[in-house]
Amino acid sequence: MNYRLHCFAQSGNAYKAALMLNLCKADWQPVLVDYFKGEHKTERFLALNETGEVPVLETGSTKLSQSGVILDFLAQETGLFGGGNERERREILRWILFDNHKFTSYLATLRFLRFFAKDADKAVDKFLETKTLAALKIADQRLTENDYITGKQVTIADISMSGYVYFLDEARIDIAKFPALGRWRERMQQLPGWGHPYDIMPKS
Ligand SMILES: N[C@@H](CCC(=O)N[C@@H](CS)C(=O)NCC(=O)O)C(=O)O
């Protein structure tokens, strides 16, 4: 199956889908969305995804947005990283929702303000940093007990939570404060097909 991923390299949300495609050894091509030129708000892109968000995955007549949905779709298509039974699938969903709401959302916004915008209000910066550190601590504790987020196997929950962890330096977060998370990040890097976001997607 041939996949087209609308993405840009600075996007950790797009990276979740790109990493999954790579780990599944899928036949895929990135299609650059020039985010910093506002391409995601053009009529052409909004016709593809009315929320104006990246990533979008296209394959045949199927068109999907929301990284969690894309990950779930690819897990079903390939039979990889999706868990072995209903209980495992619910546990994966639980962590993907945690990732989207607490882990990615605060970290991605903090990194955007610190690395790209560079003009964040101090109170906003402090709020986001506090929320980000709290989410990182929860993941770190979890990974002290388990090699991967839902247990002994890599799943799409790990892939989802990988979105922004390779951008922690850009968010000025010291990974050394989260040692289990750091070890997990290194384990993810050892997976065949792993690549850094800046190496597997085109930059905006
Ligand atoms: N929950 C969405 C978040 C997608 C998202 O926020 N993507 C960013 C790029 S990393 C975007 O396109 N933002 C444009 C906007 O919010 O207007 C997902 O997981 O796919």
Side-chain angles (χ1 to χ4, degrees), residues 16 91-106 131-140 142 149 157 160-161 181:
K16 299 170 188 184
E91 189 62 1
I92 288 169
L93 180 60
R94 190 166 80 87
W95 284 99
I96 288 182
L97 289 171
F98 170 76
D99 172 51
N100 272 244
H101 185 196
K102 298 278 170 57
F103 193 83
T104 280
S105 68
Y106 293 125
K131 292 289 195 183
T132 301
L133 294 177
L136 289 169
K137 191 170 170 212
I138 289 167
D140 187 59
R142 177 85 185 164
I149 291 292
S160 190
M161 291 182 70
L181 187 78

Side-chain angles (χ1 to χ4, degrees), residues 8 11-13 35 40-41 52-55 66-68 100 164:
F8 61 98
S11 165
N13 285 304
Y35 176 89
H40 58 303
K41 298 300 178 205
E53 291 174 305
V54 167
Q66 288 296 340
S67 60
N100 272 244
Y164 284 83

